[in-house]
Short mmCIF file of all heavy atoms in Angstrom, two decimals:
data_model
loop_
_atom_site.label_atom_id
_atom_site.label_comp_id
_atom_site.label_asym_id
_atom_site.label_seq_id
_atom_site.Cartn_x
_atom_site.Cartn_y
_atom_site.Cartn_z
N VAL X 147 -184.91 -33.63 -19.88
CA VAL X 147 -185.48 -33.54 -18.53
C VAL X 147 -185.15 -32.14 -18.03
O VAL X 147 -183.98 -31.77 -17.91
CB VAL X 147 -184.86 -34.60 -17.59
CG1 VAL X 147 -185.48 -34.49 -16.21
CG2 VAL X 147 -185.05 -35.99 -18.15
N HIS X 148 -186.19 -31.36 -17.75
CA HIS X 148 -186.01 -29.96 -17.38
C HIS X 148 -185.47 -29.85 -15.96
O HIS X 148 -186.07 -30.34 -15.01
CB HIS X 148 -187.35 -29.24 -17.50
CG HIS X 148 -187.22 -27.75 -17.55
ND1 HIS X 148 -188.14 -26.96 -18.18
CD2 HIS X 148 -186.29 -26.91 -17.07
CE1 HIS X 148 -187.76 -25.70 -18.08
NE2 HIS X 148 -186.65 -25.65 -17.40
N ASN X 149 -184.35 -29.18 -15.84
CA ASN X 149 -183.78 -28.89 -14.53
C ASN X 149 -183.60 -30.10 -13.63
O ASN X 149 -183.81 -30.00 -12.42
CB ASN X 149 -184.64 -27.86 -13.79
CG ASN X 149 -184.50 -26.50 -14.38
OD1 ASN X 149 -183.50 -26.19 -15.00
ND2 ASN X 149 -185.51 -25.67 -14.22
N VAL X 150 -183.27 -31.23 -14.23
CA VAL X 150 -182.93 -32.42 -13.46
C VAL X 150 -184.10 -32.89 -12.59
O VAL X 150 -183.90 -33.67 -11.66
CB VAL X 150 -181.66 -32.18 -12.59
CG1 VAL X 150 -180.93 -33.45 -12.26
CG2 VAL X 150 -180.68 -31.22 -13.25
N LEU X 151 -185.28 -32.41 -12.87
CA LEU X 151 -186.44 -32.72 -12.02
C LEU X 151 -186.91 -34.16 -12.27
O LEU X 151 -187.28 -34.51 -13.37
CB LEU X 151 -187.58 -31.73 -12.33
CG LEU X 151 -188.88 -31.90 -11.56
CD1 LEU X 151 -188.66 -31.82 -10.06
CD2 LEU X 151 -189.90 -30.86 -12.00
N ALA X 152 -186.89 -34.96 -11.22
CA ALA X 152 -187.30 -36.38 -11.27
C ALA X 152 -186.62 -37.09 -12.44
O ALA X 152 -187.24 -37.83 -13.18
CB ALA X 152 -188.82 -36.46 -11.40
N TRP X 153 -185.31 -36.86 -12.57
CA TRP X 153 -184.62 -37.29 -13.78
C TRP X 153 -184.57 -38.81 -13.96
O TRP X 153 -184.63 -39.30 -15.08
CB TRP X 153 -183.21 -36.69 -13.87
CG TRP X 153 -182.24 -37.14 -12.81
CD1 TRP X 153 -182.01 -36.55 -11.62
CD2 TRP X 153 -181.36 -38.26 -12.87
NE1 TRP X 153 -181.05 -37.23 -10.92
CE2 TRP X 153 -180.63 -38.29 -11.66
CE3 TRP X 153 -181.12 -39.26 -13.81
CZ2 TRP X 153 -179.68 -39.27 -11.37
CZ3 TRP X 153 -180.16 -40.23 -13.53
CH2 TRP X 153 -179.46 -40.23 -12.32
N GLU X 154 -184.46 -39.56 -12.84
CA GLU X 154 -184.37 -41.02 -13.00
C GLU X 154 -185.60 -41.55 -13.71
O GLU X 154 -185.51 -42.29 -14.69
CB GLU X 154 -184.24 -41.72 -11.64
CG GLU X 154 -182.89 -41.55 -10.97
CD GLU X 154 -182.96 -40.52 -9.86
OE1 GLU X 154 -183.77 -39.57 -9.98
OE2 GLU X 154 -182.16 -40.63 -8.90
N LYS X 155 -186.77 -41.09 -13.21
CA LYS X 155 -188.03 -41.61 -13.76
C LYS X 155 -188.20 -41.15 -15.21
O LYS X 155 -188.58 -41.92 -16.09
CB LYS X 155 -189.21 -41.11 -12.91
CG LYS X 155 -189.21 -41.70 -11.52
CD LYS X 155 -190.34 -41.12 -10.68
CE LYS X 155 -189.79 -40.08 -9.71
NZ LYS X 155 -190.79 -39.43 -8.89
N HIS X 156 -187.90 -39.87 -15.47
CA HIS X 156 -188.12 -39.36 -16.82
C HIS X 156 -187.13 -39.95 -17.83
O HIS X 156 -187.50 -40.25 -18.96
CB HIS X 156 -188.05 -37.84 -16.85
CG HIS X 156 -189.17 -37.19 -16.12
ND1 HIS X 156 -190.48 -37.60 -16.26
CD2 HIS X 156 -189.20 -36.17 -15.23
CE1 HIS X 156 -191.26 -36.86 -15.49
NE2 HIS X 156 -190.50 -35.98 -14.85
N LEU X 157 -185.88 -40.14 -17.40
CA LEU X 157 -184.91 -40.69 -18.36
C LEU X 157 -185.34 -42.10 -18.78
O LEU X 157 -185.20 -42.49 -19.94
CB LEU X 157 -183.50 -40.72 -17.77
CG LEU X 157 -182.72 -39.40 -17.88
CD1 LEU X 157 -181.28 -39.58 -17.41
CD2 LEU X 157 -182.72 -38.83 -19.30
N GLU X 158 -185.90 -42.83 -17.82
CA GLU X 158 -186.40 -44.17 -18.15
C GLU X 158 -187.42 -44.08 -19.29
O GLU X 158 -187.35 -44.79 -20.29
CB GLU X 158 -187.08 -44.73 -16.90
CG GLU X 158 -186.88 -46.21 -16.68
CD GLU X 158 -187.55 -46.58 -15.35
OE1 GLU X 158 -186.98 -46.24 -14.29
OE2 GLU X 158 -188.64 -47.19 -15.40
N THR X 159 -188.37 -43.15 -19.13
CA THR X 159 -189.40 -42.94 -20.17
C THR X 159 -188.76 -42.51 -21.48
O THR X 159 -189.10 -43.04 -22.55
CB THR X 159 -190.38 -41.82 -19.73
OG1 THR X 159 -190.89 -42.15 -18.46
CG2 THR X 159 -191.51 -41.63 -20.72
N LEU X 160 -187.85 -41.55 -21.40
CA LEU X 160 -187.27 -40.98 -22.63
C LEU X 160 -186.44 -42.03 -23.38
O LEU X 160 -186.50 -42.12 -24.61
CB LEU X 160 -186.44 -39.74 -22.32
CG LEU X 160 -187.20 -38.57 -21.68
CD1 LEU X 160 -186.33 -37.32 -21.62
CD2 LEU X 160 -188.48 -38.26 -22.43
N PHE X 161 -185.67 -42.83 -22.63
CA PHE X 161 -184.88 -43.87 -23.30
C PHE X 161 -185.80 -44.90 -23.96
O PHE X 161 -185.53 -45.39 -25.05
CB PHE X 161 -183.93 -44.55 -22.31
CG PHE X 161 -182.74 -43.68 -21.94
CD1 PHE X 161 -182.30 -43.60 -20.62
CD2 PHE X 161 -182.06 -42.95 -22.90
CE1 PHE X 161 -181.21 -42.79 -20.28
CE2 PHE X 161 -180.97 -42.14 -22.58
CZ PHE X 161 -180.55 -42.06 -21.26
N ARG X 162 -186.90 -45.21 -23.27
CA ARG X 162 -187.85 -46.17 -23.85
C ARG X 162 -188.43 -45.57 -25.13
O ARG X 162 -188.53 -46.24 -26.16
CB ARG X 162 -188.97 -46.49 -22.85
CG ARG X 162 -189.76 -47.72 -23.24
CD ARG X 162 -190.97 -47.95 -22.36
NE ARG X 162 -191.92 -46.84 -22.45
CZ ARG X 162 -192.27 -46.09 -21.42
NH1 ARG X 162 -191.80 -46.33 -20.22
NH2 ARG X 162 -193.11 -45.09 -21.59
N MET X 163 -188.81 -44.28 -25.07
CA MET X 163 -189.37 -43.62 -26.26
C MET X 163 -188.37 -43.62 -27.41
O MET X 163 -188.71 -43.82 -28.56
CB MET X 163 -189.78 -42.18 -25.93
CG MET X 163 -191.03 -42.06 -25.09
SD MET X 163 -191.42 -40.33 -24.73
CE MET X 163 -191.92 -39.74 -26.34
N LYS X 164 -187.10 -43.39 -27.07
CA LYS X 164 -186.07 -43.36 -28.11
C LYS X 164 -185.94 -44.75 -28.74
O LYS X 164 -185.87 -44.89 -29.97
CB LYS X 164 -184.73 -42.90 -27.51
CG LYS X 164 -183.65 -42.71 -28.56
CD LYS X 164 -182.36 -42.24 -27.93
CE LYS X 164 -181.23 -42.35 -28.97
NZ LYS X 164 -179.91 -42.11 -28.40
N HIS X 165 -185.96 -45.75 -27.89
CA HIS X 165 -185.86 -47.13 -28.36
C HIS X 165 -187.02 -47.46 -29.31
O HIS X 165 -186.85 -48.15 -30.31
CB HIS X 165 -185.85 -48.06 -27.15
CG HIS X 165 -185.72 -49.50 -27.51
ND1 HIS X 165 -184.53 -50.02 -27.99
CD2 HIS X 165 -186.62 -50.52 -27.49
CE1 HIS X 165 -184.72 -51.31 -28.24
NE2 HIS X 165 -185.96 -51.63 -27.95
N GLU X 166 -188.19 -46.94 -28.98
CA GLU X 166 -189.39 -47.21 -29.81
C GLU X 166 -189.48 -46.27 -31.01
O GLU X 166 -190.46 -46.32 -31.76
CB GLU X 166 -190.65 -47.05 -28.94
CG GLU X 166 -190.79 -48.14 -27.89
CD GLU X 166 -191.82 -47.79 -26.81
OE1 GLU X 166 -192.37 -46.65 -26.83
OE2 GLU X 166 -192.08 -48.64 -25.94
N GLY X 167 -188.53 -45.38 -31.15
CA GLY X 167 -188.53 -44.45 -32.29
C GLY X 167 -189.48 -43.28 -32.13
O GLY X 167 -189.84 -42.61 -33.10
N CYS X 168 -189.90 -42.99 -30.89
CA CYS X 168 -190.85 -41.89 -30.66
C CYS X 168 -190.14 -40.57 -30.38
O CYS X 168 -190.78 -39.52 -30.28
CB CYS X 168 -191.78 -42.21 -29.50
SG CYS X 168 -192.70 -43.71 -29.76
N VAL X 169 -188.84 -40.59 -30.19
CA VAL X 169 -188.07 -39.36 -30.05
C VAL X 169 -186.67 -39.69 -30.57
O VAL X 169 -186.23 -40.84 -30.51
CB VAL X 169 -188.03 -38.87 -28.59
CG1 VAL X 169 -187.40 -39.88 -27.65
CG2 VAL X 169 -187.28 -37.55 -28.47
N ARG X 170 -185.98 -38.66 -31.11
CA ARG X 170 -184.69 -38.98 -31.74
C ARG X 170 -183.50 -38.85 -30.78
O ARG X 170 -182.55 -39.59 -30.88
CB ARG X 170 -184.50 -38.09 -32.97
CG ARG X 170 -185.59 -38.35 -34.01
CD ARG X 170 -185.40 -37.52 -35.26
NE ARG X 170 -184.06 -37.68 -35.78
CZ ARG X 170 -183.25 -36.67 -36.10
NH1 ARG X 170 -183.65 -35.42 -35.95
NH2 ARG X 170 -182.05 -36.90 -36.56
N HIS X 171 -183.57 -37.87 -29.88
CA HIS X 171 -182.47 -37.69 -28.94
C HIS X 171 -183.01 -37.44 -27.54
O HIS X 171 -184.12 -36.92 -27.38
CB HIS X 171 -181.60 -36.48 -29.33
CG HIS X 171 -181.03 -36.56 -30.71
ND1 HIS X 171 -181.68 -36.05 -31.81
CD2 HIS X 171 -179.86 -37.07 -31.15
CE1 HIS X 171 -180.93 -36.25 -32.89
NE2 HIS X 171 -179.83 -36.87 -32.52
#
Side-chain angles (χ1 to χ4, degrees):
Chain X
V147 181
H148 197 152
N149 287 336
V150 205
L151 179 57
W153 65 268
E154 287 102 330
K155 293 176 257 178
H156 292 315
L157 276 186
E158 217 177 286
T159 305
L160 299 189
F161 286 137
R162 195 188 61 241
M163 287 179 69
K164 185 179 168 189
H165 181 71
E166 291 165 355
C168 302
V169 60
R170 298 182 52 231
H171 303 90

